Amino acid sequence: MEVVKRLKALLKEISVINSSVSLMHWDQRTYMPSKGAETRAEALGYLSALSFRKLISPEMGELLETLSSKNDSTSLSDLEAALVRVVKHDYEKAKAIPPELYQKFVITSSKSQTAWEKAKKENNFASFSPYLEEILKLLREMVEFYGYEEDPYDALLDNYEPGMTTSKLEHIVSELKPKLISLIENLSAHAPIDDSFLKGKFSKHAQKKLSMKALKCIGYDFNAGRLDETIHPFTITIGTGDVRVTTEYKLSEFIASLYGTIHEGGHALYEQGISPELKWTLLDSGASMGIHESQSRMMENIIGRSYEFLSFFYPKIQRAFPKTLKDVPLESFYRAVNKVKPSYVRIEADEVTYNLHIMLRFELEKALINRELEVKDLPDAWNAKMNEYFGIVPPSDSLGVLQDVHWAGGMIGYFPSYMLGNLYAVQFFNSALQEIPELKKEIAAGKLSTLREWLKEKIHKHGRIYKPEELCKRATGEELSPRYFIDYVEDKFRRIYGL
Ligand code: ZN
C-alpha cells in the first residue's frame, strides 16, 4: 500500500536523525572533551528540532489521517494498525503544544536545572523555588492543551505511562502504603543487619571485570552493545543492534556500581530483544517508562539480589575482592545486600522502602499541579511525609526535597513509573515462575536464558505495539495488581529478618 510505504519512509527519516542524536548524547556523556560542549549542544539542538518538525509536519498529518480513516484502516495488517495508532498518539501530543510554549518550557527547564544544582549544593530551597513555580505554571498551561478526563495530572502521567490515570494510581497506593509502613516498622524493630564489609577499597579494574561478568551472565549481547563509564549511569539505544550501557565505579564501594550495571543491563536486554521488524518505525523502544523499569528492576532486585543468583554469582564476587570478602559467607552477603533501612535518599533505598519514596513524590507533585499545595510550603510537606512514612526527617533540604533532578527538569508525572516498574517486575516474574517450573534452579546454576527468552517473547519483542495495560494482560493474564509485590516483599524480608 502506497500510503503505508510513505509513512514508513518518513518514520525512517525521523528515526535515522534520532539515532544520530542518541549517538551524540552517548558521546556527550562518556568521552566528549569538555570544550566540545557548546558545539555539541548546537548540533543536538538543530537535529532534534529537525526530527520534531518532521514528526509534526503536514505530510505526517495527512498520512496518518488517510490511514486512520475507515476505508484505509481495514486493509492494514495488525502491525501497521499499531504503527498508525502509536505514531498518531505521538503526533497529537507533539502537535497539541504551541511551539512558543514548548520552546519556553525547554529553556525554563534548562535554566531551572542549573538553579537546582546550585540550590542543592548550597541547601537553599528558596533560591530554587521561583524556577519551580515557573515550571509548574508552564506545565499547567500544557495540561490544558493536552486535555484530560478526570485529573489534570493524568495528562502528565500519560507522557511516561500511556493509559495510566491518577485514580488507578491512587488505588494502588492505598493498597500498598499501609502494608509497607507496617512491614518497615516490624523490620526496624529487629537487630540491624551487618553490612560493614561492603565498604573498603575496590579497584576499578576488578569492578569492571565483575560488571562485564554480570552483564554476560544475564545475557547482554556485547556484539550488540558495550559498557563504558559515566557519572550518572544510563542505557541508550543507538539503533537495532547497538544498545549501550554505562556505569560509574566508586572505589570505596562496589555494590552500587555492580547493581547499577545489572539494572542498566535489564534495560538493555529489553532494547536488545525488540523485534528487528520494528527497526526505524518509532515502535522500536519500550512500551512505557514503567515497563522499562520493570525489566531493570527484575534483573537488579528479583534476580540480582536473590539467594539463588548469589549462590552462583557470589563466588565470582569473592574472587574479585578476596581481601575483603574471602571470609564472608554467602548467607551474610545475601543479608547485607538486602538490608532494609529507612533512608533520606531515594536512589539509595532498598526494595521495601523504595516505593514509599515514590508515593511521597507522587502525592506532592499531584498537589502542586492541582494547586492544593504551594511551592513555599513544599519542604515542610516533604518532611512531614518523611516522618509519617519512615519516622525520619531529613537534616537538610539537599537530602530532602532538593535531592532529585526530575522536578527541576520539568519531569512531573515521571516518578510513578519507578513504582509501577517494581510492581510489574514482580507480576511478570511470577508468571514466568509458573510457566517455567525449573526457573529458580536454573537461576541458581547461572542459567538465565529460559527467563530471557520468556521475557523476549512476552514483552521485549513487541516494542511499543501494545500499551502497558494490554502488555501486562497478555503476559500475565490480568491487570497490574500490587498484590504480587506485597506478597513478594513480605515473604522475602520476613525470611531474611527471621520474623
Ligand atoms: Zn532504570
Side-chain angles (χ1 to χ4, degrees):
M1 207 173 132
E2 199 48 42
V3 194
V4 175
K5 258 194 198 156
R6 278 174 54 206
L7 177 67
K8 284 187 177 166
L10 185 53
L11 291 176
K12 184 171 177 181
E13 279 181 47
I14 296 172
S15 303
V16 168
I17 300 170
N18 294 351
S19 166
S20 319
V21 166
S22 295
L23 182 59
M24 287 159 72
H25 267 299
W26 170 82
D27 175 70
Q28 187 180 40
R29 294 173 67 180
T30 49
Y31 297 107
M32 187 187 77
S34 61
K35 285 186 179 170
E38 207 180 312
T39 317
R40 180 62 49 88
E42 280 174 49
L44 278 170
Y46 178 83
L47 286 179
S48 306
L50 182 62
S51 152
F52 186 76
R53 279 204 301 278
K54 284 183 186 288
L55 178 65
I56 59 164
S57 63
E59 187 190 1
M60 180 66 87
E62 281 159 32
L63 292 170
L64 289 170
E65 192 167 341
T66 311
L67 290 168
S68 346
S69 71
K70 277 220 171 79
N71 292 338
D72 281 281
S73 59
T74 44
S75 56
L76 295 178
S77 71
D78 286 354
L79 181 61
E80 288 163 352
L83 189 66
V84 172
R85 181 176 49 76
V86 175
V87 177
K88 195 161 180 251
H89 185 72
D90 289 353
Y91 169 82
E92 282 168 356
K93 275 236 135 173
K95 263 300 233 200
I97 307 297
E100 319 75 59
L101 176 58
Y102 187 70
Q103 187 72 12
K104 207 171 163 192
F105 176 71
V106 172
I107 293 169
T108 308
S109 20
S110 156
K111 284 184 186 158
S112 157
Q113 284 185 59
T114 313
W116 165 79
E117 262 174 49
K118 192 162 177 278
K120 186 177 174 181
K121 210 180 269 169
E122 296 168 357
N123 187 34
N124 183 354
F125 181 78
S127 72
F128 169 61
S129 60
Y131 293 91
L132 185 55
E133 306 250 19
E134 184 63 19
I135 294 258
L136 287 165
K137 191 179 138 249
L138 295 172
L139 280 172
R140 285 191 206 106
E141 274 180 58
M142 287 161 83
V143 159
E144 293 309 316
F145 284 108
Y146 286 136
Y148 56 89
E149 276 176 25
E150 274 180 27
D151 198 303
Y153 186 79
D154 290 349
L156 299 177
L157 206 47
D158 185 76
N159 287 337
Y160 309 100
E161 216 48 43
M164 184 49 70
T165 64
T166 311
S167 67
K168 279 187 204 168
L169 266 180
E170 281 169 342
H171 195 76
I172 290 173
V173 167
S174 68
E175 211 174 316
L176 192 53
K177 198 201 292 179
K179 301 263 188 199
L180 289 178
I181 292 180
S182 112
L183 179 60
I184 291 166
E185 276 172 8
N186 282 332
L187 300 180
S188 301
H190 248 252
I193 287 173
D194 174 25
D195 61 350
S196 54
F197 47 83
L198 297 180
K199 292 247 158 41
K201 267 193 178 163
F202 306 98
S203 83
K204 192 193 265 192
H205 178 71
Q207 289 197 53
K208 195 172 174 181
K209 266 174 68 184
L210 193 62
S211 279
M212 303 276 278
K213 270 189 191 147
L215 284 178
K216 274 192 190 130
C217 181
I218 64 170
Y220 176 76
D221 179 359
F222 274 94
N223 290 319
R226 45 181 295 134
L227 172 66
D228 295 273
E229 276 179 66
T230 189
I231 297 169
H232 300 289
F234 61 97
T235 298
I236 195 162
T237 298
I238 314 301
T240 303
D242 191 353
V243 181
R244 305 183 184 193
V245 174
T246 60
T247 196
E248 186 200 8
Y249 303 110
K250 288 186 183 140
L251 299 181
S252 61
E253 51 164 353
F254 69 96
I255 284 295
S257 101
L258 175 62
Y259 281 102
T261 307
I262 298 176
H263 177 99
E264 296 306 328
H267 282 303
L269 286 186
Y270 189 177
E271 299 272 329
Q272 287 187 333
I274 292 171
S275 165
E277 233 191 321
L278 303 180
K279 184 177 171 182
W280 302 137
T281 63
L282 297 190
L283 293 190
D284 52 350
S285 64
S288 73
M289 291 300 172
I291 300 290
H292 231 301
E293 202 60 15
S294 76
Q295 300 307 294
S296 55
R297 289 265 154 185
M298 186 188 294
M299 287 304 151
E300 178 193 353
N301 291 329
I302 304 177
I303 308 290
R305 288 189 158 85
S306 69
Y307 194 83
E308 288 81 12
F309 178 76
L310 287 173
S311 64
F312 169 78
F313 201 72
Y314 181 55
K316 298 182 196 317
I317 301 178
Q318 276 180 310
R319 279 200 291 280
F321 311 116
K323 257 196 211 139
T324 330
L325 295 175
K326 85 174 175 321
D327 297 324
V328 177
L330 167 64
E331 187 66 33
S332 308
F333 185 82
Y334 169 65
R335 285 162 57 83
V337 297
N338 283 296
K339 182 174 180 167
V340 176
K341 191 169 181 266
S343 60
Y344 306 124
V345 178
R346 173 184 63 89
I347 55 166
E348 292 164 10
D350 53 79
E351 279 183 273
V352 183
T353 57
Y354 193 94
N355 286 331
L356 283 171
H357 285 278
I358 301 304
M359 291 175 199
L360 174 152
R361 287 156 177 77
F362 161 58
E363 288 161 353
L364 294 177
E365 64 182 19
K366 183 171 58 104
L368 286 169
I369 283 292
N370 291 337
R371 291 198 172 85
E372 289 154 6
L373 175 68
E374 286 190 49
V375 169
K376 70 173 171 47
D377 300 322
L378 182 59
D380 285 343
W382 181 286
N383 292 345
K385 278 191 191 286
M386 281 299 291
N387 194 26
E388 186 189 341
Y389 300 165
F390 301 109
I392 54 174
V393 174
S396 68
D397 287 337
S398 304
L399 287 170
V401 67
L402 285 172
Q403 66 184 267
D404 296 305
V405 67
H406 302 60
W407 290 344
M411 289 183 285
I412 288 181
Y414 189 116
F415 280 120
S417 299
Y418 295 117
M419 177 176 76
L420 294 169
N422 289 328
L423 306 189
Y424 277 126
V426 178
Q427 192 163 328
F428 290 148
F429 188 73
N430 237 51
S431 283
L433 261 184
Q434 295 199 328
E435 289 175 34
I436 314 164
E438 299 290 291
L439 183 55
K440 286 202 170 176
K441 269 191 201 156
E442 289 188 8
I443 295 172
K447 179 178 184 249
L448 288 162
S449 52
T450 318
L451 174 66
R452 201 173 56 252
E453 281 309 312
W454 188 92
L455 291 169
K456 191 172 173 181
E457 201 49 42
K458 300 279 179 174
I459 297 158
H460 300 173
K461 74 172 190 188
H462 304 297
R464 294 173 74 201
I465 291 178
Y466 304 111
K467 277 192 181 179
E469 204 176 0
E470 199 183 343
L471 193 67
C472 181
K473 272 193 204 154
R474 294 174 67 98
T476 71
E478 58 182 313
E479 270 181 36
L480 178 66
S481 157
R483 191 159 49 92
Y484 298 101
F485 182 82
I486 294 168
D487 290 348
Y488 163 77
V489 283
E490 288 198 335
D491 180 62
K492 176 173 175 180
F493 291 93
R494 280 180 197 282
R495 257 179 231 250
I496 288 176
Y497 278 80
L499 290 180

